């Protein structure tokens, strides 16, 4: 271990802090090395490079995100589960913008398949939607609708793009209620 107390976990933790405070695009090996007060080369004995660092950050963030979603869903079903899931999603995206951005990175399928955090997020999403009893391909379509809605809303909110005087939480509450109504009366595909 170097004089800066470097370990892969400490480097990824610093990357998560930097991503949340400055943005995922600001997470570089050089920026982290400066933060630790060491040369870039000191980090390379712990990580293989920027791609490895971002992958590790994505895996860490997915686990953290899954923990938040799991806590929100505990003991809930139906509309309560949907609302809790949506609220936890939005809160994580807004309070951990860099970590959230890392969860959106496209990773190789084998990395996602081996990631406990990613697999738990997939399972929690399926669990949240279970009471709506959507067969495939409707389930996939519903997941895509929810992810697009939650992601888009949080992205717009994070940039202050909602300029109308109506309170943002009021709109969010109405949107989640509308999503519940849609999921309850989902238009079934002909082949479902």
């Amino acid at each position: 271990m170097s004089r800066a107390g470097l370990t892969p976990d400490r480097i990824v933790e610093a990357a998560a802090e930097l991503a949340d405070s400055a943005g995922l695009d600001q997470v570089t090996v050089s920026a982290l090395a400066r933060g630790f007060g060491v040369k870039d080369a000191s980090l390379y004995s712990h990580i293989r490079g920027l791609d490895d660092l971002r992958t590790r950050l994505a895996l860490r963030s997915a686990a953290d995100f899954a923990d938040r979603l799991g806590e929100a869903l505990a003991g809930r079903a139906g509309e309560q589960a949907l609302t809790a899931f949506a609220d936890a999603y939005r809160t994580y995206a807004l309070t951990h913008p860099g970590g959230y951005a890392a969860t959106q990175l496209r990773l190789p399928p084998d990395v996602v398949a081996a990631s406990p955090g990613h697999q738990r997020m997939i399972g929690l999403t399926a669990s949240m939607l279970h009471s709506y009893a959507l067969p495939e391909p409707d389930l996939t379509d519903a997941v895509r609708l929810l992810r697009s809605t939650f992601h888009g809303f949080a992205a717009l909110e994070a940039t202050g793009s909602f300029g109308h005087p109506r309170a943002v939480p009021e709109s969010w509450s109405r949107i989640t209620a509308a999503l519940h109504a849609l999921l309850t009366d989902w238009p079934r595909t002909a082949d479902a």
Side-chain angles (χ1 to χ4, degrees), residues 1 7 10 17 22 28 38 44 53 57 62 74 80 91 119 123 127-128 133 153 160 192:
M1 189 159 27
T7 65
R10 179 64 193 115
E17 292 167 5
T28 65
V38 299
Y44 287 111
L53 176 63
L57 178 56
Q80 286 185 339
T91 299
Q119 292 307 305
S127 175
M128 179 267 297
F153 192 98

Side-chain angles (χ1 to χ4, degrees), residues 1-2 8 44 46-47 49 73 104-105 108 125 128 140 159 178 180-181:
M1 189 159 27
S2 77
Y44 287 111
H46 303 284
I47 59 168
L73 283 177
Q104 304 305 302
L105 292 174
T125 303
M128 179 267 297
T140 295
T159 60
H180 169 67

Side-chain angles (χ1 to χ4, degrees), residues 13-122:
E13 181 182 334
E17 292 167 5
L18 180 59
D20 281 344
S21 65
L24 182 60
D25 59 331
Q26 298 301 307
V27 175
T28 65
V29 174
S30 294
L32 290 172
R34 278 191 307 276
F36 283 112
V38 299
K39 302 274 187 207
D40 293 10
S42 297
L43 272 63
Y44 287 111
S45 61
H46 303 284
I47 59 168
R48 291 185 302 274
L50 185 58
D51 286 343
D52 179 44
L53 176 63
R54 290 197 174 169
T55 297
R56 289 173 186 248
L57 178 56
L59 298 176
R60 177 190 188 277
S61 298
D64 186 32
F65 197 7
D67 288 346
R68 309 292 174 96
L69 294 172
E71 290 168 9
L73 283 177
R76 293 181 172 90
E79 185 173 12
Q80 286 185 339
L82 172 64
T83 300
F85 186 97
D87 290 347
Y89 190 109
R90 177 175 164 239
T91 299
Y92 187 81
L94 294 174
T95 60
H96 296 283
Y100 175 72
T103 68
Q104 304 305 302
L105 292 174
R106 187 174 180 93
L107 300 176
D110 61 316
V111 172
V112 173
S115 165
H118 284 89
Q119 292 307 305
R120 188 158 178 240
M121 286 186 352
I122 292 167

Side-chain angles (χ1 to χ4, degrees), residues 108-151:
D110 61 316
V111 172
V112 173
S115 165
H118 284 89
Q119 292 307 305
R120 188 158 178 240
M121 286 186 352
I122 292 167
L124 289 166
T125 303
S127 175
M128 179 267 297
L129 286 169
H130 179 75
S131 65
Y132 296 105
L134 299 172
E136 284 296 353
D138 295 322
L139 180 60
T140 295
D141 295 341
V143 168
R144 288 176 176 169
L145 170 70
L146 294 178
R147 183 175 179 205
S148 300
T149 302
F150 300 161
H151 177 82

